[in-house]
Amino acid sequence: MAKNFKQQGDRLTLLNPDTSPAHDLESGDGFLAGSIFGIAITDVPAGEEGAFETTGVWELPKTSAQAWTVGQKIYWNNTLRVVTTSSSGNTLIGVAVEIAANPSAVGLVRLNGSF
């Protein structure tokens, strides 16, 4: 192994900033730090660091009035804190791994790591 290897990168320690709009994260919440999207592994209060998974398949809250197809690109809406198929103003985080109906509150997303 190369001497400069540090970690796999699937789980990262990130700061949940206490800047506006500050919010506490609960385990399972999505979180965007710059271009890194992850899922909080534990509760992470605003202003503290926590562990975030950047890969894997996750059930996430979605824009209800959207139907998804398998393999469709999925984006994070950081204002509404939901996943969506709309790219406008949102961050690409992965792909749908199963069909999601319109309406439905959640969808399964395979995270592709940070972009």
Side-chain angles (χ1 to χ4, degrees), residues 10-54:
D10 295 339
R11 182 175 289 191
L12 300 173
T13 300
L14 302 170
L15 175 67
N16 178 12
D18 58 2
T19 56
S20 180
H23 64 282
D24 295 336
L25 296 169
E26 295 180 7
S27 176
D29 283 351
F31 176 69
L32 186 64
S35 294
I36 300 172
F37 180 81
I39 304 296
I41 301 306
T42 61
D43 294 349
V44 185
E48 295 189 18
E49 289 186 333
F52 295 85
E53 285 287 335
T54 62

Side-chain angles (χ1 to χ4, degrees), residues 28-102:
D29 283 351
F31 176 69
L32 186 64
S35 294
I36 300 172
F37 180 81
I39 304 296
I41 301 306
T42 61
D43 294 349
V44 185
E48 295 189 18
E49 289 186 333
F52 295 85
E53 285 287 335
T54 62
T55 60
V57 176
W58 299 86
E59 182 179 78
L60 296 173
K62 69 180 266 298
T63 301
S64 178
Q66 292 179 341
W68 294 2
T69 58
V70 174
Q72 189 168 12
K73 290 181 181 178
I74 301 298
Y75 301 82
W76 178 250
N77 179 322
N78 205 39
T79 301
L80 300 176
R81 303 196 187 290
V82 296
V83 289
T84 177
T85 57
S86 173
S87 63
S88 180
N90 300 316
T91 302
L92 180 65
I93 63 165
V95 296
V97 295
E98 73 176 23
I99 293 170
N102 172 8

